[in-house]
Amino acid sequence: MDLAGNVLAGFQVSLQPINLLYAFFGAGIGTLVGVLPGIGPAGTIALLLPLSLGMPPVSAIIFLAGVYYGSMYGGSTTSILVNIPGEAASVVTCLDGYQMARQGRAGPALGMAAMGSFIGATLSIVGLMLIAPLLAGVAREFGAPEYFGLVCLGVMMLVYLSRGSVLKSLISAVAGLILSFIGQDLFTGDDRFTFGVVELKDGLGLVPLFMGLFGITEVLANLEAPIRRQVYDARLKNLFPTAKDWLDSRGAILRGTGIGFFLGILPGGSAMIASFAAYAAEKMFSRHPERFGTGVIEGVAAPETANNAAAQGAFIPLFALGIPPNVAMALLLGAFVLHGIRPGPLMMEQHPQIFWGAVTSMYIGNAMLLVFNLPLIGLWVRILKVPYKMLFPLILLFSVIGALSVRYSPFDVVVMILFGAIGYVLRKMEFEATPLVLAFILGPMLEQALRQSLIISHGSFTIFFTRPIAAVCLGLTLAIVIANLVPLLRAGRKVIAAQETGD
Amino acid sequence: MKARLSIVASIVVLVVLAVVLSRSPLAAAEKYPVRPVELVMPFGPGGSLDLQARALAAVAMQHLGQPFVITMKPGAGGTIGTAHVARSKPDGYTLLLTATGPMSISLQLEDTGYTKDSFIPIALLNLTPPVVAVRTDRPWKTLEDLLTHIRANPARVVYGTTSVSGLTNLANHMLLQGAGIQASLPTVPFKSVGDQLLSILKGDTEYMVQIHSGLAAYLRSNQIRALAVLSEKRFPVMPDVPTAKELGYDVVASQWMGVLAPKGTSPEVVDTIAKALGKMVKDQSFVTMATKMDIPPAFLQPAEFQEFLEREYQKYGVAIQRAGLKKK
């Protein structure tokens, strides 16, 4: 009842011409930042923060929020076209997106990414409006044991991400885990595997690592066979997803929205994890999981929908609790603070025009993004026609700038080049880089949550069974292990599948 | 196609030029400052030091005659950026905005590549005290209640911190030692104040010691209760909360922020910057921003700041020894 009035009041704020303009500029800058690998939304918001000080508070939030969700649109572009994720949240989009581009279907892939993003984001905003106050409670239920359960579940899903041999992806994941040990131990303050290198105290950077493994490796691998490109130049006519694409993707988009929204709300959950989870889920639900990674449209729709849904969901803990779930949100919190507003339980009462104005502007911003992203597809696709001799140096240049921009450290450039070489060797030996990156991200979360839980419980493992959310997650993890390991069960599943298709 | 490519190429060239130019500004100095001054901020984006740097940059031009260009150099608890400035040319064009951790604590724990004598203090900008806090519905109404609870349950009370070798954890050690509690508590480290707060609100950890500005919103909305503030005098932002000192525990700590220059910077330059900073922290727009951040400005001149730093160094040195966080 109150909701309608609030939404209306919100639109009165967000539809003011000046705020429309800010939403447009924010989303536009975000898209650009998303397209450029290495330059992330967090760094951009930091740069734009001083600029926003001169704006009225609502406009500043509308503008900076636009940069954040706008970047989720752009991130898929380079993933699909050149196999370099524009954002961390688009890493998994490379798997099928780039294969689609190789088959001459870059247009439908980009189109589906944009449409999925729009649907995921707008549905997520509805969720944000309806249940921001209620869901704040759910986020609060997540303590260390719950995270441990959730991450365990995520690690098990990792197995589904791999294309090739299970053994090789396990080896790759373990390598990622070992790499994640590098750096200062949060619990004792001791250095682990830093060998006295100061730059390693905070661990290896995620950005140089994945730009090396995905970007540099891709360039190296393509240098071997430069002629292949010509093949799909000719077939770039169909720029939009076909009816069959839509049919194939509808489940992925709906599930991606749900997964993204939920993972976005959790503190510590991020658009990146959401995209991995959605891809893994789609592979599980699919009737042809073996075709994932060869260029199926669901493999693009799921992660791109999920990361946008998560990006919108991430506003919930910030708005409702005042707790930023990621760095970009932490910067947005900074922007609020500089304007004298504390996000949190009191904000919706004290500054309703800011909350509702910002939320409704996200609708408008997403609609704008869709409108100007669809026509851009034709332009992006033409980048594929740029000859390799021009494209590769540019990719390398942007990669170096990107690695450098994280903390202005030449060390990170060295790390990136090193992992480019490692990635090339891994690819030659048919190891997947994705499990490595995922383990690198999830490993520290797993370790922290485990150790935190055990300190809280005074060393007792029962904490994982007495807390319901943790118990359910660990139960599901166990179920996946059993389903995979017991051949009898697997055989049984095949029989059922055969019966279904037989009917 | 060619045209588009040349646009891309020229953008790249512009970006590279911009980076190069901002790094090596045109040389030669007449009367300091003749070009923008680089202010190195050794922590990540969005933190209170970052916001402070941006608030300073907003008023630098009118009081210094040149803008502050903020360079973020995060890593290893602020020591990477701090070491970078220690190695920089002492010409007044590279300054450091730093805080308690890198200047008074980290360098006593490990080899950071600089000592307290690698810098010339210019000005202290603010001091914010740590607060001992619990969830509002917990039965402990005073600091004494909490300490009694800890004494009654030795090594059972779970405490959350954001850095085991950081300022707030040292302050907690100092408090427990002052109260004669020898047993070490189960200590859960968190990556951020947000996580630390969530565990307090959820009830997984029982109490916390954290800098006031990070907790201000939660104190105001009455979700957590401040039992004591660890400052010399009561903190003006919350005058009702007693200091630990007046409750009989002589524990004083603070998160301070200040500007320093590399050793060898000329006294004239230091004086010029100190005077300008003195005006900046009184600038109405800076005061407004600082107040909104819950970090009220304070100010110490170079000489006073030098003495202050000396005392801080000694104080945390003793605390580190007693806490058993040995110097390497």
Side-chain angles (χ1 to χ4, degrees), chain A residues 297-318:
Chain A
I297 193 128
E298 303 97 287
V300 174
E304 283 305 313
T305 307
N307 67 25
N308 280 70
Q312 303 299 155
F315 285 99
I316 291 178
L318 178 70

Side-chain angles (χ1 to χ4, degrees), chain A residues 46 140-141 187 198 201-202 321 323 331 337-338 340 342 346 379 390 397 408 448 452 455 458 467, chain B residues 4-5 12 46 54 72-73 75-76 110 156 164 187-191 198 202 204 218 223 292 294:
Chain A
R140 209 182 257 194
E141 285 311 307
F187 291 75
V198 186
K201 274 197 183 208
D202 295 320
L321 286 175
I323 291 171
L331 281 156
V337 169
L338 284 176
R342 289 279 180 179
L346 295 176
L379 180 82
M390 312 286 261
L397 180 68
Y408 305 108
Q448 262 171 45
Q452 284 170 343
I455 294 172
H458 303 287
R467 307 258 288 231
Chain B
R4 194 162 288 125
L5 205 71
V12 170
R54 291 177 199 285
M72 218 184 286
K73 263 203 167 297
E110 58 207 310
R156 294 295 293 176
V164 284
T187 302
V188 190
F190 294 98
K191 280 218 138 167
L198 271 181
K202 187 165 165 56
D204 284 344
Y218 292 82
Q223 291 173 286
K292 284 175 181 170
D294 290 300

Side-chain angles (χ1 to χ4, degrees), chain A residues 136-183:
Chain A
V138 176
R140 209 182 257 194
E141 285 311 307
F142 267 75
E146 286 77 17
Y147 271 107
F148 179 75
L150 188 71
V151 178
C152 277
L153 192 58
V155 169
M156 266 311 131
M157 286 182 168
L158 188 152
V159 177
Y160 279 91
L161 276 177
S162 54
R163 229 182 334 174
S165 109
V166 174
L167 182 66
K168 278 188 171 172
S169 47
L170 274 178
I171 292 172
S172 178
V174 169
L177 266 184
I178 293 171
L179 289 173
S180 79
F181 293 155
I182 298 172

Side-chain angles (χ1 to χ4, degrees), chain A residues 107-358:
Chain A
L110 288 167
M112 189 50 80
M115 297 301 291
S117 294
F118 176 74
I119 296 168
T122 42
L123 289 179
S124 202
I125 297 168
V126 175
L128 171 63
M129 290 196 302
L130 289 177
I131 41 183
L134 299 175
L135 272 182
V138 176
R140 209 182 257 194
E141 285 311 307
F142 267 75
E146 286 77 17
Y147 271 107
F148 179 75
L150 188 71
V151 178
C152 277
L153 192 58
V155 169
M156 266 311 131
M157 286 182 168
L158 188 152
V159 177
Y160 279 91
L161 276 177
S162 54
R163 229 182 334 174
S165 109
V166 174
L167 182 66
K168 278 188 171 172
S169 47
L170 274 178
I171 292 172
S172 178
V174 169
L177 266 184
I178 293 171
L179 289 173
S180 79
F181 293 155
I182 298 172
Q184 207 159 38
D185 182 356
L186 181 67
F187 291 75
T188 62
D190 293 327
D191 292 346
R192 301 194 297 196
F193 304 109
T194 61
F195 304 102
V197 179
V198 186
E199 282 85 356
L200 284 177
K201 274 197 183 208
D202 295 320
L204 288 168
L206 180 63
V207 171
L209 186 91
F210 79 57
M211 290 188 61
L213 284 177
F214 291 93
I216 307 283
T217 298
E218 186 59 34
V219 171
L220 291 176
N222 274 302
L223 286 177
E224 291 179 349
I227 319 128
R228 250 187 314 185
R229 277 286 295 272
Q230 311 295 331
V231 181
Y232 57 92
D233 270 0
R235 291 185 284 151
L236 288 175
K237 283 158 215 142
N238 55 335
L239 290 184
F240 294 98
T242 61
K244 183 174 178 305
D245 289 337
W246 278 106
L247 212 61
D248 287 342
S249 302
R250 62 181 175 187
I253 288 175
L254 287 178
R255 279 185 289 268
T257 303
I259 291 170
F261 182 63
F262 180 69
L263 287 177
I265 293 167
L266 296 180
S270 67
M272 174 168 51
I273 294 173
S275 64
F276 278 112
Y279 187 85
E282 234 24 70
K283 209 172 163 181
M284 272 206 297
F285 279 109
S286 173
R287 292 188 177 203
H288 46 81
E290 72 288 345
R291 275 170 49 200
F292 273 74
T294 61
V296 290
I297 193 128
E298 303 97 287
V300 174
E304 283 305 313
T305 307
N307 67 25
N308 280 70
Q312 303 299 155
F315 285 99
I316 291 178
L318 178 70
F319 284 164
L321 286 175
I323 291 171
N326 57 45
V327 183
M329 290 295 114
L331 281 156
L332 211 59
L333 175 66
F336 272 109
V337 169
L338 284 176
H339 282 284
I341 301 153
R342 289 279 180 179
L346 295 176
M347 188 180 76
M348 277 178 244
E349 296 161 30
Q350 289 172 348
H351 304 282
Q353 79 286 3
I354 292 190
F355 176 77
W356 293 102

Side-chain angles (χ1 to χ4, degrees), chain B residues 116 197 218 231:
Chain B
K116 67 181 164 59
L197 265 166
Y218 292 82
S231 49

